[in-house]
Amino acid sequence: MLIPFIWMVSTSLKTPGETVAMPPVWIPDILQIGNYAEAFEAAPFGRYFLNSVFVTVLSTAGELITTILAAFAFAKIEFYGKNILFTLLIATMMVPGEILIIPNFVTLSNMGLINTYAALIVPYLASVFSVFMLKQSFQSVPKELHYAAKVDGCSDFRFLWTIMVPLAKSSIVAITILKIIGSWNAFMWPLIVTNDRALRTLPVGLQAFTTEAGTQYELLMAAATIVVIPMVIVYLFLQKYIIMGISKSGLKG
């Protein structure tokens, strides 16, 4: 897994000739640090960076809210048709995401949301996988604790935010990290629903280095490194929460 990452960083520091040299050059003769500055000047990466942060923060916050509420309802609240509804939701996980691209695009187009920030955020405000993962964690909390809280006059909403959420902190953090990484690296959907360069995110901005004359690999890899580094830092510092969250939810393999 490390070889592609090392090759990306190495290529970002090469001259144009070294990027296509045969046999491949792993260590450049002179490190071309200026490739990073040139990559920033070749495209409005400052704007792309802000767009990525904005979309990632809002879609993550929205998904957390819907996930927590839905998982709590399925885990602790009894209502008619709960098991059937949850089974139908789980069944949707077998539908490939690519099949949903056209229906989602048509829906947003009819709503007049194409080429807006809403088009980048709204389709990602809910995740069945996250609901399933958090529901498994919520179910590990004894029902007696919920009953005792209700006897003491605690509402479901207060019980959720003061007791359930803190107890499931590791699962929620894991869902948050996975969501951040997914939103930050999203490419296909932002490319389809945005035409304005001012709305594009970092991964979409990478295509600026592919022209009719060819691809500027050293600049493309420099820009790709800029895109990847924040997620590498997030993963390295918070990977233990991903493992803890998945293990507490009972998911394996």
Side-chain angles (χ1 to χ4, degrees), residues 88-109 114 119 123-124 126-129 188-189 192-193:
L88 291 175
L89 282 177
I90 294 300
T92 63
M93 292 174 64
M94 293 185 286
V95 179
E98 289 77 8
I99 294 178
L100 301 176
I101 289 178
I102 294 178
N104 285 340
F105 182 87
V106 172
T107 301
L108 291 176
S109 179
I114 296 300
Y124 297 102
S127 166
V128 175
F129 174 76
M188 182 63 73
W189 185 251
I192 292 173
V193 298

Side-chain angles (χ1 to χ4, degrees), residues 5 12 14 19 25 29 53 74 79 86 119 129 135 140 156 159 169 205 207 212 225 228 233 236 248 251:
F5 180 76
S12 72
K14 295 176 184 175
T19 62
V25 176
D29 290 335
V53 171
F74 284 118
F79 58 90
F86 187 69
F129 174 76
K135 174 181 175 287
S140 65
D156 286 334
F159 177 76
K169 183 177 65 176
Q207 66 176 342
E212 294 179 355
T225 303
V228 170
I233 294 172
L236 290 178
K248 285 197 70 174
L251 300 179

Side-chain angles (χ1 to χ4, degrees), residues 9-10 12-15 18 27-35:
V9 176
S10 170
S12 72
L13 298 170
K14 295 176 184 175
T15 62
E18 290 173 327
I27 301 176
D29 290 335
I30 300 175
L31 298 180
Q32 303 296 319
I33 304 296
N35 286 344

